[in-house]
């Protein structure tokens, strides 16, 4: 948590207490909170991350295992070839437009050492306009939700996400060993950000900033009062009763998930029934 939020690592071992700077990229992968992505549930319910951590990632991708005959056939063929041919499956002639691993590592090291790209004026203007448009579009969508009677969410695009797009654009320039991130780099960065983080935020009201957890704690307290120790209750009934208490459906389901993980509740019948097992 500290490494991504504060960009530091605190060390207290063998009588040594110090704080070191964290200067590395983080690539993380995780399964959905329920083990498998469930289309009938909100995406935010299936991401068990604090918003303070989630907002530190420049790009967020939601990957779903969907049936595709062509891709499934290609993947199955590759895996079978690995088992049949062993190491020979990876041995093939290198084409003219490919780099070997050693050359690629040296290229990346050289780019990191010698290139520090900055946005040009044209790229900066495009990025500024795109940022304003993103927030305006999300604000408009929230207004529509409010008119439909649904609670509005916090706009998930903040200055932190603007800085993420800048870093992506500068990375495109660094790949070319260029000291200037051009309009083309910015357009590619915006497209990549839109297809990853922005799309993930739209899918399920995933808050990238500003999540306090107060509503979840309130829901947990009310559920603990409602369900006695050893009592069984239908999940849908519990959610419905908590909604009548002016709690949001999403906060209630998050609270139930947290109580299951903490050992307070136990689910059965594929999550349709709950039992209070610990105070």
């Amino acid at each position: 948590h500290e490494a991504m939020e504060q960009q530091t690592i605190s060390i207290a071992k063998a009588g040594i207490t110090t704080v070191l700077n964290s200067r590395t990229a983080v690539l993380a992968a995780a399964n959905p909170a329920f083990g498998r992505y469930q289309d009938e549930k909100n995406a935010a319910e299936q991401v068990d991350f604090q918003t303070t951590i989630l907002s530190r990632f420049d790009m967020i991708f939601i990957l779903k295992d969907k049936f595709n005959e062509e891709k499934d056939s290609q993947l199955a063929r590759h895996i079978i070839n690995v088992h049949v041919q062993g190491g020979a499956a990876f041995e093939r002639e290198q084409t003219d437009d490919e780099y070997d691993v050693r050359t690629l590592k040296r290229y990346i090291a050289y780019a990191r050492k010698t290139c520090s790209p900055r946005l040009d004026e044209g790229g900066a203007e495009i990025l500024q306009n795109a940022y304003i448009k993103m927030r305006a579009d999300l604000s408009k969508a929230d207004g529509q939700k409010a008119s439909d009677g649904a609670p509005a969410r916090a706009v998930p695009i903040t200055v932190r996400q603007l800085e993420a797009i800048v870093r992506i654009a500068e990375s495109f320039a660094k790949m070319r060993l260029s000291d200037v991130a051009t309009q083309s780099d910015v357009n590619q960065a915006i497209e990549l950000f839109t297809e990853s983080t922005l799309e993930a935020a739209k899918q399920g009201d995933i808050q990238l900033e500003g999540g306090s957890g107060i509503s979840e704690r309130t829901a947990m307290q009310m559920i603990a009062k409602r369900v006695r120790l050893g009592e069984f209750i239908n999940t849908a009934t519990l959610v419905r009763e908590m909604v009548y208490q002016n709690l949001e459906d999403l906060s209630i389901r998050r609270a139930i998930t947290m109580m299951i993980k903490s050992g307070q509740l136990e689910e059965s019948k594929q999550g349709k029934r709950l039992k209070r097992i610990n105070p």
Side-chain angles (χ1 to χ4, degrees), residues 89-198:
F90 300 96
E91 296 177 1
R92 58 183 178 82
E93 293 185 4
Q94 183 176 316
T95 60
D96 294 335
D97 59 347
E98 291 182 348
Y99 295 101
D100 59 77
V101 175
R102 182 171 178 271
T103 301
L104 186 59
K105 286 182 177 180
R106 294 179 63 185
Y107 185 91
I108 294 173
Y110 179 79
R112 294 181 64 181
K113 183 178 180 180
T114 61
C115 290
S116 298
R118 290 293 180 266
L119 289 175
D120 62 10
E121 293 184 3
E125 184 177 355
I126 291 175
L127 182 54
Q128 178 180 336
N129 294 335
Y131 172 70
I132 295 173
K133 185 177 184 302
M134 285 180 189
R135 285 184 58 87
D137 290 345
L138 288 171
S139 179
K140 182 178 179 181
D142 287 344
Q144 182 63 41
K145 286 186 63 178
S147 65
D148 294 338
R153 65 184 172 188
V155 176
I157 302 301
T158 65
V159 175
R160 182 167 288 127
Q161 279 67 55
L162 177 62
E163 293 175 342
I165 300 175
V166 172
R167 284 191 291 270
I168 298 170
E170 292 175 348
S171 297
F172 277 114
K174 188 175 291 187
M175 286 194 296
R176 304 194 318 271
L177 301 181
S178 174
D179 292 328
V180 178
T182 63
Q183 298 181 30
S184 175
D185 296 322
V186 171
N187 286 329
Q188 291 183 76
I190 292 172
E191 181 181 358
L192 189 56
F193 181 83
T194 301
E195 293 297 326
S196 57
T197 307
L198 191 59

Side-chain angles (χ1 to χ4, degrees), residues 20-34:
L20 303 177
N21 291 329
S22 173
R23 298 174 180 173
T24 183
V26 176
L27 176 63
N31 289 323
F34 302 98

Side-chain angles (χ1 to χ4, degrees), residues 30-95:
N31 289 323
F34 302 98
R36 182 178 179 85
Y37 195 91
Q38 302 178 25
D39 291 325
E40 66 274 10
K41 292 190 176 182
N42 191 293
E45 300 176 55
Q46 307 184 67
V47 179
D48 189 20
F49 274 115
Q50 297 180 15
T51 54
T52 51
I53 287 291
L54 206 58
S55 64
R56 266 68 186 182
F57 286 100
D58 289 349
M59 289 180 286
I60 301 171
F61 295 88
I62 294 180
L63 304 179
K64 301 179 183 179
D65 183 16
K66 293 185 176 181
F67 170 73
N68 183 300
E69 185 174 356
E70 182 179 353
K71 291 184 178 180
D72 290 347
S73 176
Q74 183 180 5
L75 178 61
R77 187 165 54 250
H78 170 73
I79 294 175
I80 292 172
N81 286 339
V82 170
H83 286 277
V84 172
Q85 302 177 22
F90 300 96
E91 296 177 1
R92 58 183 178 82
E93 293 185 4
Q94 183 176 316
T95 60

Side-chain angles (χ1 to χ4, degrees), residues 184-230:
S184 175
D185 296 322
V186 171
N187 286 329
Q188 291 183 76
I190 292 172
E191 181 181 358
L192 189 56
F193 181 83
T194 301
E195 293 297 326
S196 57
T197 307
L198 191 59
E199 186 63 28
K202 287 180 178 178
Q203 281 189 32
D205 297 349
I206 296 176
Q207 294 186 6
L208 301 181
E209 193 70 45
S212 63
I214 296 176
S215 57
E216 285 82 0
R217 287 195 294 271
T218 302
M220 290 175 68
Q221 293 171 359
M222 296 187 67
I223 292 172
K225 292 179 181 178
R226 168 63 182 83
V227 185
R228 297 187 301 273
L229 193 64

